[in-house]
Amino acid sequence: MATAAPRTATLTIDPGFRISPVRRRTFGSFVEHLGRCVYGGIHEPGHPTADEDGFRGDVIELVKELGISTVRYPGGNFVSGYRWEDGVGPRDQRPTRLDLAWHSTEPNTVGTDEFMRWCAKAGVEPMLAVNLGTRGVQEAIDLLEYCNIPGGTTLSDRRRANGAEAPHGITMWCLGNEMDGPWQTGHKTPQEYGRLAAETARAMRQMQPDLELVACGSSGVTIPTFGEWERVVLTEAYDQVDYISAHAYYWEENGDLASFLGSAIDMDHFVESVVATADAVRSAGRHTKRIHISFDEWNVWYLDGEASEPPKDSWPVGPVLLEDHYSVADAVVVGSLLVSLLRHSDRVRAASLAQLVNVIAPIMTQDGGRSWKQTTFHPFALTSRYASGDVLRVELDTPSHTTKKFGSTPTVDAVATWDAETGAMAVFAVNRSVDEPISLNLDVRGLEGLTVVEAVVMSNEDPNAKSTADDDTSLAPRPLDVVETDGARSVELPPVSWTMIRLAR
Ligand code: AHR
């Protein structure tokens, strides 16, 4: 019996239709003092690859391969109880504290200066968060003075005495973390937080006017204050801040893979709602500048995954926590969330995959042993490496299918980037069907002489297949055939797949 030809989608790309430049900060990540992200993740002094500062060299190499641009630090929920002073100065004099957020013990072996040394080695830009949970304006400007003032003041000279002669020069700062969440130490109403964020930002700018400051937005679209939180916080702090944050985690709901694959629809909705609210506050307040989004926590997260809850009866250092193992389907969703972030690059100017190592992370480590790549590593690394120049507004004519969560769901999603300087185009496409291949036609207009450089696809007969420490390569993207006839090009996107096609002049 002849099999029916797959349904088709057509992607029309015209280099004249630009959304915005590709923002390198889209490819940020997040290192929190949580589980084995810092201790046993980026830092493990006894490890065979550890350098003189105790940083794992194998992890730094993977961070570079992943193409990480910025790293947010030190939290997360952790920052809302953190005293930054504990983490600087002679190690043997640093206090040991209880971390209430993750029911852990914080030895303060790694602090701001160590993190900055790690950033230099990994080639990433730091993005620091200040504690607006248990602390306030004074501690924020103290930390700024410690980090960014060249010298001649008590705190800047303390930094120099601690071995960091040159100022750290940190530009991007988060004003607290998830202050809308009832789980947050020092949780606040939007009025309380908006005032505190505005006053903290004003004081920080008195010290250094050119900072880029991020106010806390919502920690998810389902939190009851979503929307109203952004409206009130921005009404209080519009002139003082540059960004409002967004946090979103996606998880497979009751085994409903079809809806899970549509997660980017949620992200689109989140971004577009926050943009609408920010622009409404702009009009109401007669402001001229626009507020941008820092999507500084996003990922797939299995709330019932491995060690999903902190221990209740002990306070360990660097316990195994939130060490989710990701599948091919998870990688497809991560790739599709990057499509959404790129598509909104005019307003989403920074983003952080949460997190970087061991904790809901693309990079895993064994204590004293190997480091390895999760499935989610691949779409992130390839998008970061090949998205360049401008993000293009594409026209996508796609079949749809029905999902429980989203109803009629476009089966294919895609975005393209075009670098006029290098003549490189990259197309990132996702097939969200659980069982149907789709033939994708590429119609590239206004560009003569483009040739296909490479096409790769990530998919597997078993979308639940996962990489392991012993085998982190079998599930990596594999070459995909591009059929070229009379100047027309098409690829077949397998069900549950993420694809990258590169063309060049
Ligand atoms: O990334 C894990 C946690 O998720 C962060 O600490 C917090 O900000 C969010 O709720």
Side-chain angles (χ1 to χ4, degrees):
M1 199 172 71
T3 45
R7 291 198 291 166
T8 60
T10 300
L11 182 65
T12 306
I13 304 172
D14 188 317
F17 295 158
R18 289 193 289 266
I19 294 175
S20 91
V22 173
R23 315 269 173 196
R24 285 311 305 163
R25 282 179 177 160
T26 306
F27 305 105
S29 187
F30 178 30
V31 165
E32 177 168 6
H33 285 247
L34 192 184
R36 297 193 311 122
C37 188
V38 172
Y39 305 115
I42 64 169
H43 191 257
E44 191 184 337
H47 191 269
T49 70
D51 64 13
E52 64 289 355
D53 292 316
F55 293 126
R56 282 183 66 150
D58 59 341
V59 172
I60 288 180
E61 284 317 306
L62 285 176
V63 171
K64 289 181 179 168
E65 188 182 336
L66 189 55
I68 295 296
S69 53
T70 29
V71 177
R72 183 166 173 257
Y73 174 87
N77 298 341
F78 171 80
V79 79
S80 295
Y82 183 53
R83 287 174 259 205
W84 68 266
E85 306 88 331
D86 291 351
V88 298
R91 289 255 173 81
D92 57 358
Q93 291 167 30
R94 295 186 189 179
T96 298
R97 303 278 191 196
L98 295 182
D99 161 24
L100 303 183
W102 301 108
H103 214 278
S104 301
T105 295
E106 175 52 54
N108 284 302
T109 314
V110 172
T112 306
D113 293 324
E114 287 82 18
F115 176 68
M116 291 306 299
R117 275 204 292 283
W118 181 82
C119 285
K121 291 175 182 186
V124 302
E125 181 195 6
M127 178 178 171
L128 242 60
V130 299
N131 173 359
L132 293 188
T134 58
R135 308 189 103 191
V137 181
Q138 185 63 56
E139 293 86 354
I141 53 176
D142 285 351
L143 177 58
L144 179 62
E145 177 186 331
Y146 180 88
C147 288
N148 281 11
I149 296 297
T153 67
T154 301
L155 291 172
S156 58
D157 286 342
R158 191 185 298 172
R159 182 201 68 240
R160 295 169 66 211
N162 289 339
E165 179 57 36
H168 290 321
I170 301 161
T171 305
M172 206 164 169
W173 295 77
C174 301
L175 302 166
N177 176 70
E178 293 191 351
M179 299 311 303
D180 63 328
W183 58 87
Q184 201 68 210
T185 312
H187 160 60
K188 294 181 175 34
T189 66
Q191 286 82 5
E192 289 167 344
Y193 171 70
R195 287 276 302 127
L196 179 58
E199 291 312 317
T200 307
R202 219 161 52 80
M204 290 176 81
R205 283 198 204 282
Q206 282 178 299
M207 194 177 292
Q208 189 179 336
D210 64 351
L211 299 174
E212 294 181 52
L213 300 177
V214 186
C216 293
S218 292
S219 44
V221 268
T222 54
I223 194 156
T225 49
F226 176 63
E228 181 63 359
W229 175 273
E230 282 80 358
R231 190 190 67 74
V232 175
V233 167
L234 287 177
T235 300
E236 296 288 348
Y238 200 97
D239 284 331
Q240 278 76 35
V241 303
D242 307 288
Y243 301 85
I244 184 103
S245 71
H247 290 182
Y249 292 99
Y250 302 91
W251 44 88
E252 198 169 351
E253 296 163 352
N254 311 320
D256 179 2
L257 178 59
S259 296
F260 176 58
L261 290 169
S263 293
I265 295 171
D266 248 356
M267 186 181 251
D268 290 343
H269 165 68
F270 195 155
V271 169
E272 287 155 23
S273 304
V274 174
V275 166
T277 307
D279 288 350
V281 177
R282 176 176 183 255
S283 308
R286 296 177 168 69
H287 303 283
T288 47
K289 74 171 185 190
R290 284 195 195 277
I291 295 289
H292 295 110
I293 295 176
S294 171
F295 215 119
D296 48 40
E297 287 189 35
W298 69 272
N299 205 347
V300 174
W301 180 355
Y302 287 85
L303 290 177
D304 56 357
E306 184 160 341
S308 53
E309 290 288 333
K312 297 247 176 348
D313 50 359
S314 63
W315 297 85
V317 176
V320 171
L321 257 181
L322 317 183
E323 300 205 1
D324 286 2
H325 281 179
Y326 291 117
S327 67
V328 169
D330 297 328
V332 171
V333 169
V334 163
S336 75
L337 295 171
L338 281 166
V339 168
S340 171
L341 290 170
L342 282 172
R343 170 166 51 236
H344 293 104
S345 292
D346 53 338
R347 299 303 290 270
V348 179
R349 299 223 170 158
S352 300
L353 176 71
Q355 299 193 2
L356 186 58
V357 187
N358 290 329
V359 175
I360 44 173
I363 298 171
M364 300 299 287
T365 67
Q366 298 172 320
D367 290 342
R370 286 174 290 183
S371 52
W372 56 279
K373 300 172 189 171
Q374 296 242 35
T375 53
T376 54
F377 187 100
H378 304 289
F380 190 100
L382 290 171
T383 309
S384 176
R385 190 173 320 148
Y386 293 114
S388 69
D390 289 314
V391 185
L392 300 181
R393 186 157 34 84
V394 296
E395 191 59 40
L396 184 59
D397 183 9
T398 170
S400 57
H401 59 281
T402 303
T403 60
K404 277 198 202 107
K405 185 165 178 186
F406 302 108
S408 175
T409 301
T411 306
V412 175
D413 195 14
V415 73
T417 63
W418 164 242
D419 190 332
E421 253 173 55
T422 62
M425 176 172 284
V427 176
F428 305 97
V430 178
N431 179 355
R432 306 196 271 216
S433 167
V434 296
D435 50 17
E436 184 188 357
I438 299 284
S439 172
L440 178 68
N441 298 323
L442 284 184
D443 178 353
V444 183
R445 300 183 174 179
L447 284 173
E448 297 304 313
L450 276 190
T451 54
V452 175
V453 177
E454 154 181 55
V456 291
V457 64
M458 187 147 189
S459 73
N460 195 270
E461 263 178 24
D462 175 10
N464 291 317
K466 295 173 181 167
S467 298
T468 62
D470 289 332
D471 178 7
D472 68 350
T473 53
S474 298
L475 298 174
R478 58 179 196 282
L480 180 69
D481 282 342
V482 180
V483 179
E484 301 195 65
T485 37
D486 303 330
R489 301 184 183 99
S490 70
V491 289
E492 186 168 308
L493 307 177
V496 196
S497 66
W498 174 89
T499 292
M500 177 184 74
I501 305 156
R502 293 170 51 220
L503 304 108
R505 201 158 42 195

